Amino acid sequence: MAVLWLIVVVLLLMASAFFSGSEMGLYCVNRLRVRLQAERGHDARSRLLWRLVQQPQRTVMTTLLGNNLVGYLLTVAGIAFLAAATGLTGARADFYVAVALTPLVFVFGDVVPKNWFRIEANRLMLLAAPVLRACEILGRLSGVLPFVVWISRLSAR
């Protein structure tokens, strides 16, 4: 069972990297190039990315919500892994998971993917566009994304 939880932790760490990197990639992608590719009809991903780039607030909110959800689930999975591997539970497990995951998430779930997406934004954002769109649809259908966008706009006023 511990191996299963470890796999879940690694997958969630990869999801955190995806959302962090996608956020940076959205800021760094060459909008003119994406627009030209979309208008020339090169592929469906470029048209999809162009639609995401045209709605930056909703797309950024999608990445932020995804990263927060993944962060919470990563903590839960880390505690479950520690409980399955060592039998530790309670406050001690929480402490050890926080100590272990904080540098891992900071380096591999935040800094490295943001730098990678900053450098390779045009290529990586084309690959990320379908997943981001699916996450945006899920967020919109759940009602969470429209609510967060509304709160954001309200607080900006």
Side-chain angles (χ1 to χ4, degrees), residues 15-71:
S16 177
F18 170 79
F19 285 117
S20 292
S22 295
E23 179 190 2
M24 180 59 72
L26 185 65
Y27 297 132
C28 295
V29 72
N30 186 327
R31 286 164 169 50
L32 180 59
R33 179 181 287 171
V34 171
R35 191 182 100 212
L36 289 173
Q37 286 177 339
E39 288 174 354
R40 291 181 183 155
H42 279 109
D43 64 14
R45 286 185 293 180
S46 61
R47 290 188 299 275
L48 184 59
L49 180 57
W50 177 239
R51 278 184 270 166
L52 291 172
V53 166
Q54 287 179 302
Q55 303 164 347
Q57 186 179 21
R58 196 163 46 181
T59 308
V60 168
M61 289 293 176
T62 300
T63 63
L64 295 174
L65 284 170
N67 212 0
N68 280 302
L69 178 64
V70 166

Coordinates of all heavy atoms in Angstrom, one line a residue, residues 15-71:
A15 N 1.8 17.0 -11.2 CA 0.6 17.9 -11.5 C 0.9 19.3 -10.9 O 0.6 20.3 -11.6 CB -0.6 17.3 -10.8
S16 N 1.5 19.4 -9.8 CA 1.9 20.7 -9.2 C 2.9 21.4 -10.2 O 2.8 22.6 -10.5 CB 2.5 20.5 -7.8 OG 3.0 21.8 -7.4
A17 N 3.8 20.6 -10.7 CA 4.8 21.2 -11.6 C 4.1 21.6 -12.9 O 4.4 22.7 -13.5 CB 5.9 20.1 -12.0
F18 N 3.1 20.9 -13.4 CA 2.4 21.3 -14.6 C 1.6 22.6 -14.4 O 1.7 23.5 -15.2 CB 1.4 20.2 -14.9 CG 0.4 20.6 -16.0 CD1 0.8 20.6 -17.3 CD2 -0.9 21.0 -15.7 CE1 -0.1 21.0 -18.3 CE2 -1.8 21.4 -16.6 CZ -1.4 21.4 -18.0
F19 N 0.9 22.7 -13.3 CA 0.2 23.9 -13.0 C 1.1 25.1 -12.8 O 0.8 26.2 -13.3 CB -0.8 23.8 -11.9 CG -2.0 22.9 -12.2 CD1 -2.3 21.7 -11.6 CD2 -2.9 23.4 -13.2 CE1 -3.4 21.0 -11.9 CE2 -4.0 22.6 -13.5 CZ -4.3 21.4 -12.9
S20 N 2.2 25.0 -12.1 CA 3.1 26.1 -11.9 C 3.7 26.5 -13.2 O 3.9 27.7 -13.5 CB 4.2 25.7 -10.9 OG 3.6 25.5 -9.6
G21 N 4.2 25.5 -13.9 CA 4.8 25.8 -15.2 C 3.9 26.4 -16.2 O 4.2 27.4 -16.9
S22 N 2.6 25.9 -16.2 CA 1.7 26.5 -17.1 C 1.3 27.9 -16.8 O 1.1 28.7 -17.7 CB 0.4 25.7 -17.1 OG 0.6 24.4 -17.5
E23 N 1.3 28.3 -15.6 CA 1.1 29.7 -15.2 C 2.2 30.6 -15.8 O 1.9 31.6 -16.4 CB 1.0 29.8 -13.7 CG 0.8 31.2 -13.2 CD 0.9 31.4 -11.7 OE1 1.3 30.5 -11.0 OE2 0.8 32.6 -11.3
M24 N 3.4 30.2 -15.6 CA 4.5 30.9 -16.1 C 4.5 30.9 -17.6 O 4.8 32.0 -18.3 CB 5.9 30.4 -15.6 CG 7.1 31.1 -16.1 SD 7.1 32.9 -15.7 CE 7.4 32.8 -13.9
G25 N 4.2 29.8 -18.2 CA 4.2 29.7 -19.7 C 3.1 30.6 -20.3 O 3.3 31.2 -21.3
L26 N 2.0 30.8 -19.6 CA 1.0 31.7 -20.1 C 1.5 33.1 -20.1 O 1.1 33.8 -21.1 CB -0.2 31.6 -19.1 CG -1.5 32.4 -19.6 CD1 -2.0 31.8 -20.9 CD2 -2.5 32.3 -18.5
Y27 N 2.3 33.5 -19.2 CA 2.8 34.9 -19.2 C 3.9 35.0 -20.3 O 4.1 36.1 -20.8 CB 3.4 35.2 -17.8 CG 2.4 35.2 -16.7 CD1 2.7 34.6 -15.5 CD2 1.2 35.9 -16.8 CE1 1.8 34.6 -14.5 CE2 0.3 35.9 -15.8 CZ 0.6 35.3 -14.6 OH -0.3 35.3 -13.6
C28 N 4.6 34.0 -20.6 CA 5.8 34.1 -21.4 C 5.6 33.6 -22.9 O 6.5 33.9 -23.7 CB 7.0 33.2 -20.8 SG 7.5 33.8 -19.3
V29 N 4.5 33.0 -23.2 CA 4.2 32.6 -24.5 C 4.2 33.8 -25.5 O 3.7 34.8 -25.1 CB 2.9 31.7 -24.6 CG1 1.7 32.6 -24.5 CG2 2.9 30.9 -25.9
N30 N 4.7 33.6 -26.7 CA 4.7 34.6 -27.7 C 3.3 34.7 -28.3 O 2.9 33.9 -29.1 CB 5.7 34.3 -28.8 CG 5.9 35.4 -29.8 OD1 4.9 36.1 -30.1 ND2 7.1 35.5 -30.3
R31 N 2.5 35.7 -27.9 CA 1.1 35.8 -28.3 C 1.0 36.0 -29.8 O 0.0 35.5 -30.4 CB 0.4 36.9 -27.5 CG 0.1 36.6 -26.1 CD -0.2 37.8 -25.3 NE -0.7 37.6 -23.9 CZ -0.3 36.8 -23.0 NH1 0.8 36.0 -23.2 NH2 -0.8 36.8 -21.8
L32 N 1.9 36.8 -30.4 CA 1.8 37.0 -31.8 C 2.0 35.7 -32.6 O 1.2 35.4 -33.5 CB 2.8 38.0 -32.2 CG 2.9 38.4 -33.7 CD1 1.6 38.9 -34.2 CD2 4.0 39.4 -34.0
R33 N 3.0 34.9 -32.2 CA 3.2 33.6 -32.8 C 2.0 32.7 -32.7 O 1.6 32.0 -33.6 CB 4.5 33.0 -32.2 CG 4.7 31.6 -32.9 CD 5.9 31.0 -32.3 NE 7.1 31.7 -32.8 CZ 8.3 31.5 -32.3 NH1 8.6 30.6 -31.4 NH2 9.4 32.1 -32.8
V34 N 1.4 32.7 -31.5 CA 0.3 31.8 -31.2 C -0.9 32.2 -32.1 O -1.6 31.4 -32.7 CB -0.1 31.8 -29.7 CG1 -1.4 31.1 -29.5 CG2 1.0 31.2 -28.9
R35 N -1.1 33.6 -32.2 CA -2.2 34.1 -33.0 C -2.0 33.7 -34.5 O -3.0 33.3 -35.1 CB -2.3 35.6 -32.8 CG -3.6 36.1 -33.4 CD -3.8 37.6 -33.3 NE -3.4 38.1 -34.6 CZ -2.8 39.3 -34.8 NH1 -2.5 40.0 -33.8 NH2 -2.4 39.7 -36.0
L36 N -0.8 33.9 -35.0 CA -0.5 33.6 -36.4 C -0.7 32.1 -36.6 O -1.3 31.7 -37.7 CB 0.9 34.0 -36.7 CG 1.1 35.6 -36.8 CD1 2.5 35.9 -37.1 CD2 0.2 36.2 -37.9
Q37 N -0.2 31.3 -35.7 CA -0.4 29.8 -35.9 C -1.9 29.5 -35.9 O -2.4 28.6 -36.7 CB 0.3 29.0 -34.8 CG 1.8 29.0 -35.0 CD 2.5 28.3 -33.9 OE1 2.0 28.2 -32.8 NE2 3.7 27.9 -34.1
A38 N -2.7 30.1 -35.0 CA -4.1 29.8 -34.9 C -4.8 30.3 -36.1 O -5.7 29.5 -36.6 CB -4.7 30.4 -33.6
E39 N -4.5 31.4 -36.6 CA -5.2 32.0 -37.8 C -4.8 31.2 -39.1 O -5.6 31.1 -40.0 CB -4.8 33.5 -38.0 CG -5.5 34.3 -37.0 CD -5.0 35.8 -37.1 OE1 -4.1 36.1 -37.9 OE2 -5.6 36.6 -36.3
R40 N -3.6 30.7 -39.1 CA -3.2 29.9 -40.3 C -3.7 28.5 -40.2 O -3.6 27.7 -41.2 CB -1.7 29.9 -40.4 CG -1.2 31.3 -40.8 CD 0.3 31.2 -41.0 NE 0.8 32.6 -41.3 CZ 2.1 33.0 -41.0 NH1 2.9 32.1 -40.5 NH2 2.4 34.2 -41.3
G41 N -4.3 28.1 -39.1 CA -4.9 26.8 -38.9 C -3.9 25.7 -38.9 O -4.1 24.6 -39.4
H42 N -2.7 25.9 -38.3 CA -1.6 24.9 -38.2 C -2.1 23.6 -37.5 O -2.0 22.5 -38.0 CB -0.4 25.4 -37.6 CG 0.5 26.2 -38.5 ND1 0.6 27.5 -38.4 CD2 1.2 25.8 -39.6 CE1 1.4 28.0 -39.4 NE2 1.8 26.9 -40.1
D43 N -2.7 23.8 -36.4 CA -3.2 22.6 -35.6 C -4.3 23.1 -34.6 O -4.4 24.3 -34.3 CB -2.2 21.8 -35.0 CG -1.4 22.5 -33.9 OD1 -1.8 23.5 -33.5 OD2 -0.3 22.0 -33.5
A44 N -5.0 22.1 -34.1 CA -6.1 22.5 -33.2 C -5.5 23.0 -31.8 O -6.1 23.8 -31.2 CB -6.9 21.2 -32.9
R45 N -4.3 22.5 -31.5 CA -3.7 23.0 -30.2 C -3.4 24.5 -30.3 O -3.5 25.2 -29.3 CB -2.5 22.1 -29.8 CG -2.9 20.8 -29.3 CD -1.7 20.0 -28.9 NE -0.8 19.8 -30.1 CZ 0.3 19.1 -30.0 NH1 0.8 18.7 -28.9 NH2 1.0 18.9 -31.1
S46 N -2.9 25.0 -31.4 CA -2.6 26.4 -31.5 C -3.9 27.2 -31.4 O -3.9 28.3 -30.7 CB -1.8 26.7 -32.7 OG -2.6 26.4 -33.9
R47 N -5.0 26.8 -32.0 CA -6.3 27.5 -31.8 C -6.7 27.4 -30.4 O -7.3 28.4 -29.9 CB -7.3 26.9 -32.8 CG -7.0 27.2 -34.3 CD -8.1 26.8 -35.2 NE -8.4 25.4 -35.1 CZ -7.8 24.4 -35.9 NH1 -6.8 24.8 -36.7 NH2 -8.1 23.2 -35.8
L48 N -6.6 26.3 -29.8 CA -7.0 26.2 -28.4 C -6.1 27.1 -27.5 O -6.7 27.7 -26.6 CB -6.8 24.7 -27.9 CG -7.3 24.3 -26.6 CD1 -8.8 24.6 -26.4 CD2 -7.0 22.8 -26.3
L49 N -4.8 27.1 -27.7 CA -4.0 27.9 -26.9 C -4.3 29.4 -27.1 O -4.3 30.2 -26.2 CB -2.5 27.7 -27.2 CG -1.5 28.5 -26.5 CD1 -1.6 28.3 -25.0 CD2 -0.1 28.1 -26.9
W50 N -4.6 29.8 -28.3 CA -5.0 31.2 -28.6 C -6.3 31.5 -27.8 O -6.4 32.6 -27.3 CB -5.2 31.4 -30.1 CG -5.7 32.8 -30.4 CD1 -6.8 33.1 -31.1 CD2 -5.0 34.0 -30.2 NE1 -6.9 34.5 -31.2 CE2 -5.8 35.0 -30.6 CE3 -3.8 34.3 -29.5 CZ2 -5.4 36.4 -30.5 CZ3 -3.4 35.6 -29.4 CH2 -4.2 36.7 -29.9
R51 N -7.2 30.6 -27.7 CA -8.4 30.9 -26.9 C -8.1 31.1 -25.5 O -8.6 31.9 -24.8 CB -9.5 29.8 -27.1 CG -10.3 30.0 -28.4 CD -11.4 29.0 -28.5 NE -10.8 27.9 -29.2 CZ -11.3 26.7 -29.3 NH1 -12.4 26.4 -28.8 NH2 -10.7 25.8 -30.0
L52 N -7.2 30.2 -25.0 CA -6.8 30.4 -23.6 C -6.0 31.7 -23.3 O -6.2 32.3 -22.3 CB -5.9 29.2 -23.2 CG -6.6 27.8 -23.1 CD1 -5.5 26.7 -22.9 CD2 -7.6 27.8 -22.0
V53 N -5.2 32.1 -24.2 CA -4.4 33.3 -24.1 C -5.3 34.5 -24.1 O -5.1 35.5 -23.5 CB -3.3 33.4 -25.2 CG1 -2.7 34.8 -25.3 CG2 -2.2 32.3 -24.9
Q54 N -6.4 34.4 -24.9 CA -7.3 35.6 -25.0 C -8.1 35.8 -23.7 O -8.7 36.8 -23.5 CB -8.3 35.4 -26.1 CG -7.6 35.6 -27.5 CD -8.6 35.4 -28.6 OE1 -9.2 34.3 -28.7 NE2 -8.8 36.4 -29.4
Q55 N -8.2 34.8 -22.8 CA -8.9 34.9 -21.6 C -7.9 34.6 -20.4 O -8.0 33.6 -19.7 CB -10.0 33.8 -21.5 CG -11.0 33.9 -22.6 CD -11.8 32.7 -22.8 OE1 -11.6 31.6 -22.2 NE2 -12.9 32.8 -23.5
P56 N -7.0 35.5 -20.2 CA -5.9 35.3 -19.3 C -6.4 35.1 -17.8 O -5.8 34.3 -17.1 CB -5.0 36.4 -19.5 CG -5.8 37.5 -20.1 CD -6.8 36.8 -20.9
Q57 N -7.4 35.9 -17.4 CA -7.8 35.8 -16.0 C -8.4 34.5 -15.7 O -8.0 33.9 -14.7 CB -8.8 36.9 -15.7 CG -9.2 36.9 -14.3 CD -10.2 38.0 -13.9 OE1 -10.9 38.5 -14.8 NE2 -10.2 38.4 -12.7
R58 N -9.2 33.9 -16.6 CA -9.8 32.6 -16.4 C -8.7 31.5 -16.4 O -8.8 30.6 -15.6 CB -10.9 32.4 -17.4 CG -11.8 31.3 -17.0 CD -13.1 31.2 -17.7 NE -12.9 31.4 -19.1 CZ -14.0 31.4 -20.0 NH1 -15.2 31.3 -19.5 NH2 -13.8 31.6 -21.3
T59 N -7.8 31.6 -17.3 CA -6.8 30.6 -17.5 C -5.8 30.6 -16.3 O -5.5 29.6 -15.8 CB -6.0 30.8 -18.8 OG1 -6.9 30.9 -19.9 CG2 -5.1 29.7 -19.0
V60 N -5.4 31.8 -15.8 CA -4.6 31.9 -14.7 C -5.3 31.4 -13.4 O -4.7 30.7 -12.6 CB -4.1 33.4 -14.5 CG1 -3.4 33.6 -13.1 CG2 -3.1 33.8 -15.5
M61 N -6.5 31.7 -13.3 CA -7.3 31.2 -12.1 C -7.4 29.7 -12.2 O -7.3 29.0 -11.2 CB -8.7 31.8 -12.1 CG -8.8 33.2 -11.8 SD -8.3 33.5 -10.0 CE -8.4 35.2 -10.0
T62 N -7.5 29.1 -13.4 CA -7.5 27.7 -13.5 C -6.2 27.1 -13.0 O -6.2 26.1 -12.3 CB -7.8 27.3 -15.0 OG1 -9.0 27.8 -15.4 CG2 -7.7 25.8 -15.2
T63 N -5.1 27.7 -13.4 CA -3.8 27.1 -12.9 C -3.6 27.3 -11.4 O -3.1 26.4 -10.8 CB -2.6 27.8 -13.7 OG1 -2.6 29.2 -13.4 CG2 -2.7 27.6 -15.2
L64 N -4.1 28.4 -10.9 CA -3.9 28.7 -9.5 C -4.8 27.7 -8.7 O -4.4 27.2 -7.6 CB -4.2 30.1 -9.1 CG -3.3 31.1 -9.7 CD1 -3.7 32.5 -9.4 CD2 -1.9 30.9 -9.1
L65 N -6.1 27.5 -9.1 CA -7.0 26.6 -8.4 C -6.4 25.2 -8.5 O -6.5 24.4 -7.5 CB -8.4 26.7 -9.0 CG -9.2 27.9 -8.7 CD1 -10.5 27.9 -9.5 CD2 -9.6 27.8 -7.2
G66 N -6.0 24.8 -9.7 CA -5.4 23.5 -9.8 C -4.2 23.2 -8.9 O -4.1 22.2 -8.3
N67 N -3.3 24.2 -8.8 CA -2.2 24.1 -8.0 C -2.5 24.0 -6.5 O -2.0 23.2 -5.8 CB -1.2 25.3 -8.2 CG 0.2 24.8 -8.1 OD1 0.5 23.7 -7.7 ND2 1.1 25.8 -8.3
N68 N -3.5 24.8 -6.1 CA -4.0 24.7 -4.7 C -4.6 23.4 -4.4 O -4.4 22.8 -3.3 CB -4.9 25.9 -4.4 CG -4.2 27.1 -4.1 OD1 -3.4 27.2 -3.2 ND2 -4.5 28.2 -4.9
L69 N -5.4 22.9 -5.3 CA -6.1 21.6 -5.1 C -5.0 20.5 -5.0 O -5.1 19.6 -4.1 CB -7.1 21.3 -6.2 CG -7.8 20.0 -6.1 CD1 -8.6 19.9 -4.9 CD2 -8.6 19.8 -7.4
V70 N -4.1 20.5 -5.9 CA -3.0 19.5 -5.9 C -2.2 19.6 -4.7 O -1.8 18.6 -4.1 CB -2.1 19.7 -7.2 CG1 -0.9 18.9 -7.1 CG2 -2.9 19.2 -8.4
G71 N -1.9 20.8 -4.2 CA -1.1 21.0 -3.0 C -1.8 20.4 -1.8 O -1.1 19.7 -1.0

